[in-house]
Amino acid sequence: MRQSRLFTRTKKTAPKDEVSKNAELLIRAGFVHKEMAGVYDYLPLGLRTLNKIIGIIREEMNGLGAEELLMSSLQRPDVWKATDRWDSEKVDVWFKTTLQSGSELGLALTHEDPLTDLMRSFVSSYRDLPFSVYQFQTKFRNEMRAKSGIMRGREFIMKDLYSFARTEAELDAFYEEAALAYERIFARVGLGEETYKTFASGGIFSKYSHEFQTLCEAGEDIIYVDEEKRIAINEEVFTDEVLQELGLDKEKLVQKKAVEVGNIFKLGTRFSEPLSLTYKDEQGKDQMVIMGSYGIGPGRVMGAIVETHADDNGLVWPEAVAPFRVHLLSLGADEKATEIYEALEKAGIEVLYDDREASAGEKFADADLLGIPYRVVIGKRSQESGHAEVKKRTESAAQEVALESLVSYFQS
Ligand code: ATP
Ligand code: MG
């Protein structure tokens, strides 16, 4: 990609009403555009990163054997009435809309209710179970405070996975596999170090649910972390009784701010019962389907990466989610740089080529702001020395790499 062709431009400042660090940097770097509080557009660079995060999550979901589908955003009230969740007093983040006929519809805030209803068309026998499905789908939530940038949108994409099982043991087995997949996801996107599997409140069916909490100053949650054991508990279940049960020592727990990047929840029959999702067992007797739900917000993950990795000069992307791997800067050596650009592209290395007519200072500042993992500078000197200057975004020292070995440098 030639940077001269990008329609987005970097900015010195973000909108005055923007208070979150992630949105401020992402707007300045041209990754997102702010429509209004809690509503953001993903621009080409931002979409590349979002899609990389989605790609990693999708691989791990497929690894669990889950099937991908895509459900509608417009939802029927009757399924929500059946589960007693239509009332805005009970669910306070609803966006609702009205048909021309006057009847009401809901805008998807999650999908347990309609999905459970949908599965009545497909589940009848014990032979149909167990299975799981997931989607990347736009949710609408009328969030009270939307001050955390893309970490708390009023419109956002969620990956939601749902499991359907015959027995509690089947649910438990899937739940443990899902927890491991979540750990792999957060490690792969570059949040492994700062993300803790966290005990949180459960429901009627299980005492606890688990959240995946990323330590971060901008987080809205308070958790207590045992750094040695690498587990944490949410303040909502922080009691002496729970500590004892989990074998945690109060003295060793550190209070931290964190953002919930994912959660996993044993639903049991919370939805299958009111919506009559049953199957016939081997004796031909009706049994309730046992469900679980598992969410991740790819946008929130992206925001959390910004919050935890960015430095004073701008964004810093882990390689797996960076919009490009290499940022190639031509400093008055366009002919040589273009040659290298074409060679890197041909070798399948994702490269953003700064071919703009701009000063070195401007190009360096933009490279830092965009946060692409490797910066390669080809200047007038390179032509004489036959070397390019390669610098990692996370390091201050640069390295000289021979022009003819640049491709193999990035291939290895
Ligand atoms: P929170 O307590 O932060 O509001 P939640 O409990 O409402 O989160 P879930 O309903 O479980 O979240 O949603 C599943 C996942 O979707 C969350 O773990 C988070 O990653 C993401 N998510 C939830 N709300 C938002 C939002 N407003 N904007 C972006 N991502 C979100
Ligand atoms: Mg919420």
Side-chain angles (χ1 to χ4, degrees), residues 221-232:
D221 293 0
I222 301 285
I223 62 169
Y224 295 84
V225 177
D226 185 322
E227 278 156 359
E228 256 166 56
K229 292 190 173 148
R230 282 212 61 87
I231 56 172

Side-chain angles (χ1 to χ4, degrees), residues 109-110 141 143 149-159 211-212 220-221 259-263 294-301:
L109 59 92
T110 181
R141 292 187 183 182
E143 302 275 3
I150 63 167
M151 297 202 297
R152 187 175 294 286
R154 294 197 164 108
E155 172 181 340
F156 63 97
I157 293 177
M158 190 195 286
K159 183 286 297 173
E211 296 170 341
F212 290 80
E220 295 177 25
D221 293 0
V259 57
E260 179 203 304
V261 284
N263 74 7
Y294 316 79
I296 296 182
R300 186 176 284 187
V301 169

Side-chain angles (χ1 to χ4, degrees), residues 197-386:
K197 187 173 167 187
T198 304
F199 287 81
S201 61
I204 318 163
F205 198 72
S206 65
K207 186 156 183 193
Y208 304 109
S209 67
H210 290 93
E211 296 170 341
F212 290 80
Q213 293 272 6
T214 301
L215 303 182
C216 131
E217 269 311 301
E220 295 177 25
D221 293 0
I222 301 285
I223 62 169
Y224 295 84
V225 177
D226 185 322
E227 278 156 359
E228 256 166 56
K229 292 190 173 148
R230 282 212 61 87
I231 56 172
I233 71 172
N234 194 304
E235 66 172 347
E236 65 189 13
V237 294
F238 185 76
T239 64
D240 288 334
E241 187 206 320
V242 169
L243 292 183
Q244 201 182 357
E245 191 179 300
L246 299 176
L248 292 170
D249 180 354
K250 204 170 192 168
E251 302 290 295
K252 285 195 175 152
L253 296 178
V254 194
Q255 191 196 58
K256 301 263 188 187
K257 281 179 153 182
V259 57
E260 179 203 304
V261 284
N263 74 7
I264 57 178
F265 206 99
K266 293 180 187 176
L267 300 170
T269 59
R270 165 68 184 91
F271 296 91
S272 47
E273 201 169 320
L275 290 162
S276 310
L277 179 63
T278 60
Y279 69 95
K280 289 216 185 303
D281 66 15
E282 285 178 65
Q283 281 72 46
K285 241 184 91 196
D286 281 329
Q287 302 286 356
M288 288 293 163
V289 173
I290 316 264
M291 294 172 53
S293 79
Y294 316 79
I296 296 182
R300 186 176 284 187
V301 169
M302 182 168 156
I305 294 169
V306 175
E307 294 285 343
T308 53
H309 286 61
D311 63 18
D312 291 343
N313 298 322
L315 300 166
V316 178
W317 296 111
E319 276 198 54
V321 303
F324 294 91
R325 184 141 169 263
V326 175
H327 199 169
L328 176 67
L329 275 53
S330 167
L331 299 185
D334 288 0
E335 203 174 313
K336 195 75 214 167
T338 302
E339 201 182 293
I340 298 289
Y341 167 61
E342 284 165 359
L344 289 170
E345 283 253 290
K346 202 166 152 216
I349 293 153
E350 292 179 302
V351 50
L352 179 66
Y353 173 28
D354 193 347
D355 59 340
R356 299 172 305 166
E357 273 180 45
S359 70
E362 226 172 301
K363 289 192 177 191
F364 284 136
D366 278 357
D368 278 348
L369 179 58
L370 264 49
I372 293 168
Y374 290 91
R375 189 187 75 188
V376 176
V377 177
I378 300 190
K380 293 203 182 84
R381 231 163 21 98
S382 310
Q383 260 148 329
E384 292 147 30
S385 71

Side-chain angles (χ1 to χ4, degrees), residues 50 83 137 145-146 185 190 200 288 346 356 358 360 384 397:
L50 185 70
T83 57
Q137 202 275 350
R145 288 165 298 126
I185 289 166
M288 288 293 163
K346 202 166 152 216
R356 299 172 305 166
E384 292 147 30

